[in-house]
Short mmCIF file of all heavy atoms in Angstrom, two decimals:
data_model
loop_
_atom_site.label_atom_id
_atom_site.label_comp_id
_atom_site.label_asym_id
_atom_site.label_seq_id
_atom_site.Cartn_x
_atom_site.Cartn_y
_atom_site.Cartn_z
N MET U 759 171.25 66.06 41.89
CA MET U 759 170.12 65.30 42.36
C MET U 759 169.47 66.05 43.52
O MET U 759 170.14 66.41 44.48
CB MET U 759 170.59 63.92 42.80
CG MET U 759 169.54 63.11 43.48
SD MET U 759 170.17 61.47 43.88
CE MET U 759 168.64 60.63 43.95
N ASN U 760 168.17 66.29 43.42
CA ASN U 760 167.44 66.92 44.50
C ASN U 760 167.09 65.89 45.55
O ASN U 760 166.45 64.89 45.26
CB ASN U 760 166.15 67.56 43.99
CG ASN U 760 166.39 68.91 43.37
OD1 ASN U 760 167.38 69.55 43.66
ND2 ASN U 760 165.47 69.34 42.54
N LEU U 761 167.54 66.15 46.77
CA LEU U 761 167.24 65.25 47.87
C LEU U 761 166.10 65.81 48.70
O LEU U 761 166.03 67.02 48.90
CB LEU U 761 168.47 65.08 48.77
CG LEU U 761 169.68 64.43 48.13
CD1 LEU U 761 170.85 64.43 49.11
CD2 LEU U 761 169.37 63.02 47.68
N PRO U 762 165.23 64.96 49.19
CA PRO U 762 164.16 65.44 50.06
C PRO U 762 164.74 66.08 51.32
O PRO U 762 165.75 65.60 51.86
CB PRO U 762 163.38 64.17 50.43
CG PRO U 762 163.80 63.14 49.45
CD PRO U 762 165.16 63.52 48.97
N GLN U 763 164.13 67.14 51.79
CA GLN U 763 164.58 67.80 53.02
C GLN U 763 164.11 67.05 54.26
O GLN U 763 164.76 67.09 55.30
CB GLN U 763 164.10 69.25 53.04
CG GLN U 763 164.72 70.11 51.96
CD GLN U 763 166.24 70.12 52.05
OE1 GLN U 763 166.80 70.39 53.10
NE2 GLN U 763 166.91 69.80 50.94
N ASP U 764 162.98 66.38 54.16
CA ASP U 764 162.46 65.60 55.27
C ASP U 764 163.34 64.36 55.45
O ASP U 764 163.51 63.58 54.52
CB ASP U 764 161.02 65.21 54.99
CG ASP U 764 160.42 64.38 56.10
OD1 ASP U 764 160.59 63.13 56.06
OD2 ASP U 764 159.80 64.96 57.00
N PRO U 765 163.90 64.15 56.64
CA PRO U 765 164.81 63.02 56.83
C PRO U 765 164.17 61.65 56.64
O PRO U 765 164.84 60.72 56.18
CB PRO U 765 165.33 63.20 58.26
CG PRO U 765 164.47 64.21 58.90
CD PRO U 765 163.78 64.98 57.83
N ILE U 766 162.90 61.51 56.94
CA ILE U 766 162.23 60.22 56.75
C ILE U 766 162.08 59.92 55.26
O ILE U 766 162.34 58.80 54.81
CB ILE U 766 160.86 60.19 57.46
CG1 ILE U 766 161.00 60.52 58.94
CG2 ILE U 766 160.17 58.86 57.24
CD1 ILE U 766 161.93 59.60 59.72
N LEU U 767 161.69 60.92 54.49
CA LEU U 767 161.60 60.74 53.03
C LEU U 767 162.98 60.49 52.44
O LEU U 767 163.13 59.66 51.52
CB LEU U 767 160.96 61.95 52.38
CG LEU U 767 159.48 62.18 52.68
CD1 LEU U 767 159.00 63.47 52.04
CD2 LEU U 767 158.65 61.01 52.20
N LEU U 768 163.99 61.18 52.95
CA LEU U 768 165.36 60.98 52.48
C LEU U 768 165.81 59.54 52.73
O LEU U 768 166.34 58.88 51.84
CB LEU U 768 166.30 61.97 53.18
CG LEU U 768 167.78 61.84 52.89
CD1 LEU U 768 168.08 62.04 51.40
CD2 LEU U 768 168.58 62.82 53.74
N MET U 769 165.58 59.06 53.95
CA MET U 769 165.95 57.69 54.29
C MET U 769 165.24 56.69 53.38
O MET U 769 165.84 55.76 52.87
CB MET U 769 165.63 57.42 55.76
CG MET U 769 166.01 56.05 56.27
SD MET U 769 164.73 54.78 56.19
CE MET U 769 163.36 55.55 56.99
N SER U 770 163.96 56.90 53.16
CA SER U 770 163.19 56.00 52.32
C SER U 770 163.72 55.98 50.88
O SER U 770 163.89 54.93 50.28
CB SER U 770 161.72 56.41 52.34
OG SER U 770 160.96 55.58 51.50
N MET U 771 164.00 57.16 50.35
CA MET U 771 164.51 57.26 48.98
C MET U 771 165.87 56.57 48.87
O MET U 771 166.11 55.79 47.93
CB MET U 771 164.62 58.71 48.55
CG MET U 771 165.10 58.89 47.12
SD MET U 771 165.63 60.56 46.76
CE MET U 771 167.30 60.49 47.36
N LEU U 772 166.76 56.83 49.83
CA LEU U 772 168.08 56.22 49.79
C LEU U 772 168.00 54.71 49.91
O LEU U 772 168.69 53.98 49.18
CB LEU U 772 168.96 56.80 50.90
CG LEU U 772 169.35 58.26 50.73
CD1 LEU U 772 170.07 58.75 51.99
CD2 LEU U 772 170.21 58.48 49.50
N ASN U 773 167.17 54.22 50.82
CA ASN U 773 167.04 52.77 50.97
C ASN U 773 166.49 52.11 49.72
O ASN U 773 166.90 51.01 49.36
CB ASN U 773 166.19 52.43 52.19
CG ASN U 773 166.97 52.52 53.48
OD1 ASN U 773 168.19 52.56 53.48
ND2 ASN U 773 166.26 52.56 54.59
N THR U 774 165.59 52.78 49.03
CA THR U 774 165.07 52.24 47.78
C THR U 774 166.18 52.16 46.73
O THR U 774 166.34 51.14 46.05
CB THR U 774 163.90 53.10 47.26
OG1 THR U 774 162.85 53.07 48.23
CG2 THR U 774 163.39 52.59 45.93
N LEU U 775 166.96 53.23 46.62
CA LEU U 775 168.08 53.22 45.67
C LEU U 775 169.10 52.15 46.05
O LEU U 775 169.61 51.44 45.16
CB LEU U 775 168.76 54.59 45.62
CG LEU U 775 167.97 55.70 44.94
CD1 LEU U 775 168.62 57.05 45.20
CD2 LEU U 775 167.88 55.44 43.44
N LEU U 776 169.40 52.03 47.33
CA LEU U 776 170.35 51.01 47.77
C LEU U 776 169.84 49.60 47.48
O LEU U 776 170.60 48.74 47.05
CB LEU U 776 170.64 51.17 49.27
CG LEU U 776 171.46 52.40 49.64
CD1 LEU U 776 171.40 52.66 51.14
CD2 LEU U 776 172.90 52.25 49.17
N ARG U 777 168.57 49.39 47.69
CA ARG U 777 167.99 48.07 47.43
C ARG U 777 167.98 47.74 45.93
O ARG U 777 168.32 46.63 45.52
CB ARG U 777 166.56 48.02 47.97
CG ARG U 777 165.89 46.65 47.76
CD ARG U 777 164.41 46.70 48.07
NE ARG U 777 163.75 47.49 47.04
CZ ARG U 777 162.74 48.34 47.28
NH1 ARG U 777 162.28 48.50 48.50
NH2 ARG U 777 162.19 49.02 46.30
N ASP U 778 167.61 48.71 45.12
CA ASP U 778 167.37 48.45 43.70
C ASP U 778 168.57 48.65 42.78
O ASP U 778 168.63 48.02 41.72
CB ASP U 778 166.23 49.34 43.19
CG ASP U 778 164.90 49.03 43.85
OD1 ASP U 778 164.77 47.96 44.49
OD2 ASP U 778 163.98 49.87 43.74
N GLN U 779 169.51 49.53 43.17
CA GLN U 779 170.54 49.91 42.20
C GLN U 779 171.98 49.89 42.68
O GLN U 779 172.90 49.88 41.86
CB GLN U 779 170.25 51.32 41.67
CG GLN U 779 168.92 51.44 40.95
CD GLN U 779 168.65 52.86 40.49
OE1 GLN U 779 169.57 53.64 40.27
NE2 GLN U 779 167.38 53.20 40.35
N TYR U 780 172.22 49.93 43.99
CA TYR U 780 173.59 50.12 44.47
C TYR U 780 173.98 49.06 45.51
O TYR U 780 173.18 48.71 46.37
CB TYR U 780 173.77 51.52 45.08
CG TYR U 780 173.61 52.61 44.05
CD1 TYR U 780 172.38 53.25 43.86
CD2 TYR U 780 174.67 52.97 43.23
CE1 TYR U 780 172.23 54.22 42.89
CE2 TYR U 780 174.52 53.94 42.26
CZ TYR U 780 173.30 54.57 42.09
OH TYR U 780 173.15 55.54 41.12
N SER U 781 175.22 48.65 45.44
CA SER U 781 175.71 47.64 46.38
C SER U 781 176.22 48.26 47.68
O SER U 781 176.48 47.54 48.64
CB SER U 781 176.82 46.83 45.73
OG SER U 781 177.91 47.68 45.39
N SER U 782 176.37 49.60 47.69
CA SER U 782 176.83 50.26 48.91
C SER U 782 176.44 51.74 48.88
O SER U 782 176.19 52.31 47.82
CB SER U 782 178.34 50.15 49.07
OG SER U 782 178.99 50.98 48.12
N PHE U 783 176.43 52.34 50.06
CA PHE U 783 176.15 53.77 50.17
C PHE U 783 177.25 54.58 49.50
O PHE U 783 176.98 55.58 48.84
CB PHE U 783 176.01 54.14 51.65
CG PHE U 783 175.72 55.59 51.90
CD1 PHE U 783 174.61 56.21 51.34
CD2 PHE U 783 176.56 56.34 52.71
CE1 PHE U 783 174.35 57.55 51.58
CE2 PHE U 783 176.30 57.67 52.96
CZ PHE U 783 175.20 58.28 52.39
N ASP U 784 178.50 54.14 49.63
CA ASP U 784 179.61 54.85 48.98
C ASP U 784 179.43 54.86 47.46
O ASP U 784 179.67 55.88 46.81
CB ASP U 784 180.95 54.21 49.34
CG ASP U 784 181.36 54.50 50.77
OD1 ASP U 784 180.90 55.51 51.35
OD2 ASP U 784 182.14 53.70 51.32
N ALA U 785 179.01 53.73 46.90
CA ALA U 785 178.79 53.66 45.45
C ALA U 785 177.67 54.60 45.02
O ALA U 785 177.78 55.28 44.00
CB ALA U 785 178.46 52.23 45.04
N LEU U 786 176.60 54.65 45.80
CA LEU U 786 175.49 55.55 45.50
C LEU U 786 175.97 57.00 45.52
O LEU U 786 175.70 57.77 44.59
CB LEU U 786 174.37 55.36 46.52
CG LEU U 786 173.08 56.14 46.32
CD1 LEU U 786 171.91 55.39 46.96
CD2 LEU U 786 173.14 57.53 46.88
N CYS U 787 176.70 57.40 46.58
CA CYS U 787 177.17 58.78 46.70
C CYS U 787 178.13 59.15 45.58
O CYS U 787 178.06 60.25 45.03
CB CYS U 787 177.81 59.00 48.06
SG CYS U 787 176.62 58.99 49.41
N GLU U 788 179.01 58.24 45.25
CA GLU U 788 179.97 58.51 44.17
C GLU U 788 179.25 58.68 42.83
O GLU U 788 179.51 59.62 42.09
CB GLU U 788 180.99 57.39 44.08
CG GLU U 788 182.05 57.64 43.03
CD GLU U 788 183.10 56.55 42.99
OE1 GLU U 788 183.43 55.99 44.04
OE2 GLU U 788 183.57 56.26 41.87
N ASP U 789 178.34 57.78 42.54
CA ASP U 789 177.62 57.81 41.26
C ASP U 789 176.74 59.05 41.12
O ASP U 789 176.64 59.63 40.05
CB ASP U 789 176.78 56.55 41.12
CG ASP U 789 176.13 56.43 39.76
OD1 ASP U 789 176.84 56.58 38.74
OD2 ASP U 789 174.91 56.21 39.70
N ARG U 790 176.12 59.46 42.21
CA ARG U 790 175.18 60.59 42.18
C ARG U 790 175.77 61.90 42.68
O ARG U 790 175.05 62.88 42.83
CB ARG U 790 173.94 60.24 43.00
CG ARG U 790 173.27 58.93 42.59
CD ARG U 790 172.00 59.20 41.92
NE ARG U 790 171.39 57.97 41.43
CZ ARG U 790 170.13 57.89 41.10
NH1 ARG U 790 169.35 58.92 41.23
NH2 ARG U 790 169.64 56.76 40.64
N ALA U 791 177.08 61.91 42.94
CA ALA U 791 177.80 63.09 43.43
C ALA U 791 177.12 63.69 44.66
O ALA U 791 176.82 64.87 44.73
CB ALA U 791 177.93 64.14 42.32
N LEU U 792 176.90 62.82 45.66
CA LEU U 792 176.26 63.24 46.90
C LEU U 792 177.29 63.36 48.01
O LEU U 792 178.30 62.65 48.02
CB LEU U 792 175.19 62.22 47.31
CG LEU U 792 174.06 61.97 46.34
CD1 LEU U 792 173.16 60.85 46.83
CD2 LEU U 792 173.26 63.25 46.13
N ASP U 793 177.03 64.24 48.95
CA ASP U 793 177.90 64.43 50.11
C ASP U 793 177.48 63.44 51.19
O ASP U 793 176.51 63.65 51.91
CB ASP U 793 177.77 65.88 50.61
CG ASP U 793 178.69 66.19 51.77
OD1 ASP U 793 179.24 65.25 52.40
OD2 ASP U 793 178.86 67.38 52.05
N SER U 794 178.23 62.35 51.31
CA SER U 794 177.86 61.28 52.23
C SER U 794 177.87 61.76 53.68
O SER U 794 177.02 61.36 54.48
CB SER U 794 178.76 60.06 52.06
OG SER U 794 180.09 60.39 52.35
N LYS U 795 178.82 62.60 54.04
CA LYS U 795 178.91 63.10 55.41
C LYS U 795 177.67 63.91 55.77
O LYS U 795 177.09 63.72 56.85
CB LYS U 795 180.17 63.95 55.59
CG LYS U 795 180.38 64.44 56.99
CD LYS U 795 181.64 65.27 57.12
CE LYS U 795 181.74 65.84 58.52
NZ LYS U 795 182.83 66.78 58.63
N ASP U 796 177.25 64.78 54.89
CA ASP U 796 176.07 65.62 55.13
C ASP U 796 174.82 64.74 55.28
O ASP U 796 174.01 64.95 56.19
CB ASP U 796 175.89 66.61 53.98
CG ASP U 796 174.72 67.55 54.19
OD1 ASP U 796 174.63 68.15 55.28
OD2 ASP U 796 173.90 67.68 53.27
N ILE U 797 174.68 63.76 54.41
CA ILE U 797 173.51 62.86 54.47
C ILE U 797 173.52 62.09 55.78
O ILE U 797 172.49 61.99 56.46
CB ILE U 797 173.51 61.91 53.26
CG1 ILE U 797 173.21 62.69 51.98
CG2 ILE U 797 172.50 60.78 53.46
CD1 ILE U 797 173.41 61.91 50.70
N CYS U 798 174.67 61.53 56.14
CA CYS U 798 174.75 60.75 57.38
C CYS U 798 174.44 61.61 58.61
O CYS U 798 173.77 61.15 59.53
CB CYS U 798 176.12 60.11 57.51
SG CYS U 798 176.36 58.73 56.37
N GLU U 799 174.89 62.86 58.61
CA GLU U 799 174.60 63.75 59.72
C GLU U 799 173.10 64.04 59.82
O GLU U 799 172.53 64.05 60.91
CB GLU U 799 175.38 65.05 59.58
CG GLU U 799 176.85 64.90 59.87
CD GLU U 799 177.66 66.15 59.59
OE1 GLU U 799 177.09 67.18 59.16
OE2 GLU U 799 178.89 66.11 59.81
N LYS U 800 172.47 64.31 58.68
CA LYS U 800 171.02 64.59 58.68
C LYS U 800 170.23 63.39 59.20
O LYS U 800 169.30 63.54 59.98
CB LYS U 800 170.54 64.93 57.27
CG LYS U 800 170.93 66.30 56.80
CD LYS U 800 170.42 66.56 55.41
CE LYS U 800 170.93 67.90 54.91
NZ LYS U 800 170.50 68.17 53.53
N LEU U 801 170.61 62.20 58.76
CA LEU U 801 169.88 61.02 59.18
C LEU U 801 170.21 60.62 60.62
O LEU U 801 169.33 60.15 61.34
CB LEU U 801 170.13 59.87 58.20
CG LEU U 801 169.57 60.10 56.80
CD1 LEU U 801 169.91 58.93 55.89
CD2 LEU U 801 168.09 60.36 56.83
N ALA U 802 171.43 60.81 61.04
CA ALA U 802 171.80 60.50 62.43
C ALA U 802 171.05 61.39 63.40
O ALA U 802 170.71 60.96 64.52
CB ALA U 802 173.30 60.65 62.61
N ALA U 803 170.74 62.61 62.98
CA ALA U 803 170.01 63.54 63.85
C ALA U 803 168.62 63.03 64.21
O ALA U 803 168.05 63.43 65.23
CB ALA U 803 169.91 64.91 63.18
N VAL U 804 168.08 62.13 63.40
CA VAL U 804 166.76 61.54 63.69
C VAL U 804 166.87 60.04 63.99
O VAL U 804 165.88 59.32 63.94
CB VAL U 804 165.73 61.82 62.56
CG1 VAL U 804 165.41 63.30 62.48
CG2 VAL U 804 166.22 61.29 61.22
N GLY U 805 168.09 59.58 64.27
CA GLY U 805 168.28 58.22 64.75
C GLY U 805 168.57 57.15 63.71
O GLY U 805 168.55 55.97 64.03
N TYR U 806 168.87 57.53 62.49
CA TYR U 806 169.16 56.55 61.44
C TYR U 806 170.65 56.53 61.12
O TYR U 806 171.27 57.58 60.97
CB TYR U 806 168.38 56.85 60.16
CG TYR U 806 166.91 56.65 60.30
CD1 TYR U 806 166.06 57.72 60.46
CD2 TYR U 806 166.36 55.37 60.30
CE1 TYR U 806 164.69 57.54 60.61
CE2 TYR U 806 165.00 55.18 60.44
CZ TYR U 806 164.17 56.26 60.60
OH TYR U 806 162.83 56.07 60.75
N VAL U 807 171.21 55.33 61.01
CA VAL U 807 172.61 55.16 60.61
C VAL U 807 172.67 54.10 59.51
O VAL U 807 171.82 53.22 59.45
CB VAL U 807 173.53 54.77 61.78
CG1 VAL U 807 173.61 55.87 62.81
CG2 VAL U 807 173.07 53.49 62.43
N TYR U 808 173.69 54.20 58.69
CA TYR U 808 173.87 53.25 57.60
C TYR U 808 174.45 51.95 58.14
O TYR U 808 175.43 51.94 58.88
CB TYR U 808 174.79 53.82 56.52
CG TYR U 808 175.06 52.86 55.39
CD1 TYR U 808 174.04 52.47 54.53
CD2 TYR U 808 176.32 52.32 55.20
CE1 TYR U 808 174.28 51.57 53.50
CE2 TYR U 808 176.57 51.44 54.17
CZ TYR U 808 175.55 51.07 53.32
OH TYR U 808 175.79 50.18 52.31
N ASN U 809 173.84 50.85 57.78
CA ASN U 809 174.32 49.52 58.15
C ASN U 809 174.85 48.86 56.88
O ASN U 809 174.05 48.44 56.02
CB ASN U 809 173.18 48.70 58.76
CG ASN U 809 173.62 47.32 59.17
OD1 ASN U 809 174.39 46.66 58.49
ND2 ASN U 809 173.11 46.87 60.31
N PRO U 810 176.17 48.76 56.71
CA PRO U 810 176.72 48.20 55.48
C PRO U 810 176.39 46.73 55.26
O PRO U 810 176.28 46.29 54.11
CB PRO U 810 178.22 48.41 55.61
CG PRO U 810 178.47 48.70 57.03
CD PRO U 810 177.20 49.21 57.63
N GLU U 811 176.21 45.97 56.33
CA GLU U 811 175.87 44.56 56.18
C GLU U 811 174.49 44.38 55.55
O GLU U 811 174.26 43.43 54.80
CB GLU U 811 175.93 43.85 57.52
CG GLU U 811 177.34 43.74 58.08
CD GLU U 811 177.38 43.17 59.47
OE1 GLU U 811 176.32 42.80 60.02
OE2 GLU U 811 178.49 43.08 60.02
N GLN U 812 173.57 45.27 55.88
CA GLN U 812 172.23 45.20 55.32
C GLN U 812 172.05 46.16 54.15
O GLN U 812 171.01 46.15 53.48
CB GLN U 812 171.18 45.49 56.39
CG GLN U 812 171.20 44.44 57.47
CD GLN U 812 170.19 44.73 58.56
OE1 GLN U 812 169.84 45.87 58.83
NE2 GLN U 812 169.70 43.67 59.18
N ASN U 813 173.06 47.01 53.92
CA ASN U 813 173.02 48.00 52.84
C ASN U 813 171.75 48.87 52.91
O ASN U 813 171.06 49.05 51.94
CB ASN U 813 173.14 47.34 51.46
CG ASN U 813 173.45 48.35 50.37
OD1 ASN U 813 174.13 49.33 50.61
ND2 ASN U 813 172.94 48.10 49.18
N GLN U 814 171.52 49.39 54.12
CA GLN U 814 170.38 50.28 54.30
C GLN U 814 170.55 51.12 55.56
O GLN U 814 171.36 50.80 56.43
CB GLN U 814 169.07 49.50 54.37
CG GLN U 814 168.96 48.57 55.54
CD GLN U 814 167.65 47.81 55.56
OE1 GLN U 814 166.87 47.99 56.48
NE2 GLN U 814 167.39 46.98 54.57
N PHE U 815 169.80 52.21 55.60
CA PHE U 815 169.75 53.03 56.77
C PHE U 815 168.69 52.47 57.69
O PHE U 815 167.60 52.10 57.25
CB PHE U 815 169.43 54.49 56.41
CG PHE U 815 170.62 55.22 55.86
CD1 PHE U 815 170.88 55.20 54.50
CD2 PHE U 815 171.48 55.92 56.69
CE1 PHE U 815 171.97 55.85 53.98
CE2 PHE U 815 172.58 56.58 56.18
CZ PHE U 815 172.83 56.55 54.81
N ARG U 816 169.01 52.40 58.98
CA ARG U 816 168.06 51.87 59.97
C ARG U 816 168.14 52.72 61.21
O ARG U 816 169.10 53.28 61.55
CB ARG U 816 168.40 50.44 60.33
CG ARG U 816 168.33 49.55 59.07
CD ARG U 816 168.39 48.16 59.42
NE ARG U 816 167.02 47.84 59.79
CZ ARG U 816 166.62 46.67 60.20
NH1 ARG U 816 167.47 45.71 60.32
NH2 ARG U 816 165.39 46.43 60.50
#
């Protein structure tokens, strides 16, 4: 899966997938063979973290 390099676009894409198709970030990463640590680091660098209660990056 090609992920956007821009962190804002990445966050938007992930939140859309989380809202529409996945019950958790772990489920999304497992299903799409994504490196959750790498994604979290990229998004944390611009102030976004995953909130499991809301199932989205904020």
Side-chain angles (χ1 to χ4, degrees):
M759 172 177 204
N760 279 338
L761 296 176
Q763 294 302 308
D764 179 273
I766 304 302
L767 292 176
L768 175 61
M769 182 267 309
S770 178
M771 182 195 84
L772 292 173
N773 280 345
T774 299
L775 288 169
L776 290 166
R777 181 191 70 219
D778 295 345
Q779 298 178 26
Y780 295 95
S781 61
S782 72
F783 180 58
D784 288 336
L786 184 153
C787 290
E788 183 178 325
D789 187 50
R790 305 251 176 163
L792 300 175
D793 183 345
S794 62
K795 183 180 175 188
D796 183 50
I797 291 170
C798 287
E799 287 174 0
K800 285 180 185 178
L801 294 178
V804 293
Y806 292 102
V807 295
Y808 178 67
N809 181 319
E811 292 174 2
Q812 296 179 332
N813 194 32
Q814 63 180 244
F815 283 89
R816 299 191 82 181

